Amino acid sequence: MSDYDLYYWPIPFRGQFVRAVLAYADKSWTEHDGAAISKLMGGPVKQMPVPFMGPPLLIDKKADFALSQMSAIVLYLGDTLDLMPAAPAQRAMTIKIVNDANDVIDDITLDGGRLMWTESRWREFVPRLKKWMSFWEETGRRHGLKARSGFLLGGEAPGIADIVTAVLWSTMADRFPAIEALLKEAAPHTAALARRVADLPPLAKLAAKAKQEYGDAYCGGQIEASLRKVLEA
């Protein structure tokens, strides 16, 4: 029997952060398909494992505990799987990084497809995206990150901040070469860290599995189609 149940659509996007933490910690999970997700979302709130509007939803079977919202799930896993720093300041910075990552993917999808990308919107957005990237670069610089060594918040081993960094930037970079080029220009040490952590065996295996199962899909739907159109242009 698996350690967790995960409800998320068959794309990487927000669910990939949860998958990556589980994979890095060598935990097993069972993924539930779109029909199961829709059934839970459409059912009575009283019958939900936890009140939620949409996935990801994670159930920790051993603890008999359910949780939604990507940031909350990742931080819960960080605490329970010993991937969070002990010092309060480092813990707070980890929480900031996770929330920043969530904001970036909201930005890159224009708040989940509230609008579609056009060439003019993308041109106006590029400076903001580069600024986001510079946040990671400056955070790493302040904690001794180098091109070939170090971690985002220092330390001797990857933690939640590094796993989230790897998933955020490597997932985008692998699917959108134009974004990879921007990252290497605006945040070269971050780009190197993301690739270094993403290449760790558990995360590399997860990425290969995602490629096999989801192809080049990122967030799906019309918003991804509009993003691809402007980037390929």
Side-chain angles (χ1 to χ4, degrees), residues 15 20 30 46 58 61-62 66 73 79 84 87 90 96-97 100 127 133 138 159 176 197 208 210 224:
T30 300
K46 289 183 178 180
L58 184 77
K61 295 180 180 179
K62 184 177 179 180
I73 294 170
D79 274 333
M84 288 286 281
Q90 298 293 87
K96 175 197 182 295
I97 295 300
D100 280 353
M133 292 169 173
E138 177 60 18
F176 306 107
V197 176
E224 180 174 336

Side-chain angles (χ1 to χ4, degrees), residues 12-22 70 74 77 101-102 105 163-165 167-168:
F13 206 49
R14 281 188 176 86
Q16 201 70 0
F17 294 92
V18 180
R19 295 177 183 122
V21 176
L22 293 172
M70 183 274 282
V74 166
L77 290 173
N102 204 37
I105 60 176
I163 296 168
V164 165
T165 297
V167 172
L168 175 68

Side-chain angles (χ1 to χ4, degrees), residues 1-7 18 22 25-32 57-63 65 73 76-77 80-81:
M1 185 177 77
S2 62
D3 300 309
Y4 300 86
D5 280 324
L6 175 62
Y7 293 81
V18 180
L22 293 172
D26 196 26
K27 296 298 180 180
S28 61
W29 69 95
T30 300
E31 298 233 8
H32 295 270
L57 167 69
L58 184 77
I59 299 175
D60 183 337
K61 295 180 180 179
K62 184 177 179 180
F65 177 69
I73 294 170
Y76 169 77
L77 290 173
T80 57
L81 300 175

Side-chain angles (χ1 to χ4, degrees), residues 191-208:
L193 171 67
R195 184 55 54 199
R196 197 158 28 93
V197 176
D199 284 345
L200 294 172
L203 299 189
K205 182 179 179 181
L206 179 69

Side-chain angles (χ1 to χ4, degrees), residues 107-173:
D107 268 7
I108 206 74
T109 57
L110 292 172
D111 296 329
R114 178 178 52 85
L115 297 170
M116 296 294 115
W117 285 110
T118 63
E119 289 186 18
S120 61
R121 282 195 185 111
W122 181 256
R123 283 195 302 270
E124 291 170 3
F125 175 66
V126 166
R128 179 177 173 89
L129 181 57
K130 286 184 174 181
K131 186 174 182 179
W132 272 123
M133 292 169 173
S134 75
F135 290 178
W136 265 261
E137 195 75 352
E138 177 60 18
T139 299
R141 186 194 68 79
R142 295 183 187 189
H143 293 88
L145 178 66
K146 307 296 183 184
R148 294 181 177 84
S149 64
F151 298 103
L152 192 68
L153 300 179
E156 301 299 322
I160 288 294
D162 304 290
I163 296 168
V164 165
T165 297
V167 172
L168 175 68
W169 297 118
S170 71
T171 304
M172 271 195 276

